[in-house]
């Protein structure tokens, strides 16, 4: 990658298919369309599963040696189950 963010090569459908395979999604590169990415940034690849079914896949092109920002998953709020309260009489009896 040059100092201006220009890539020496490009990122296309082949690389998108390879990365999807690493994530457990085996997609034929022939059904992926994408303009070749020649700069660092965000792009969109289209996966054409059927004539009427197309899925947009976000593609982020980063420099090979650049630090990758990890997205911190927002923790789901803890769900607390209500605790049944013992009647006051049972507590008094237990203390005696």
């Amino acid at each position: 990658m040059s100092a201006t963010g220009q890539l020496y090569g490009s990122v296309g459908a082949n690389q998108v298919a390879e990365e999807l395979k690493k994530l457990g999604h085996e997609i034929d590169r022939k059904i992926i369309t994408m303009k070749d990415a020649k700069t660092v940034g965000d792009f969109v690849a289209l996966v054409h599963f059927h004539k009427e079914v197309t899925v947009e896949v976000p593609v982020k092109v980063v420099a090979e040696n650049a630090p990758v920002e990890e997205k911190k998953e927002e923790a789901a709020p803890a769900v607390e189950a209500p605790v049944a309260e013992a009647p006051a009489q049972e507590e008094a009896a237990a203390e005696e």
Side-chain angles (χ1 to χ4, degrees):
M1 182 176 83
S2 68
T4 61
Q6 188 76 14
L7 301 177
Y8 294 122
S10 63
V11 175
N14 288 337
Q15 289 80 14
V16 172
E18 288 173 12
E19 292 301 318
L20 287 172
K21 187 174 183 178
K22 289 178 187 177
L23 295 173
H25 306 287
E26 192 149 345
I27 307 291
D28 186 4
R29 66 172 176 77
K30 295 174 188 168
I31 66 170
I32 300 173
T33 57
M34 175 181 164
K35 291 183 181 179
D36 285 343
K38 297 183 180 185
T39 59
V40 172
D42 295 323
F43 299 89
V44 175
L46 298 175
V47 181
H48 305 278
F49 289 107
H50 185 270
K51 185 169 89 172
E52 297 175 5
V53 179
T54 302
V55 176
E56 291 185 353
V57 178
V59 177
K60 184 174 194 114
V61 178
V62 295
E64 201 169 83
N65 297 329
V68 178
E69 294 179 18
E70 295 285 333
K71 286 188 177 180
K72 293 182 180 177
E73 294 183 22
E74 293 183 16
V79 178
E80 294 183 15
V83 178
E85 294 183 17
Q89 293 174 347
E90 289 180 11
E91 288 178 12
E95 291 178 4
E96 293 178 4

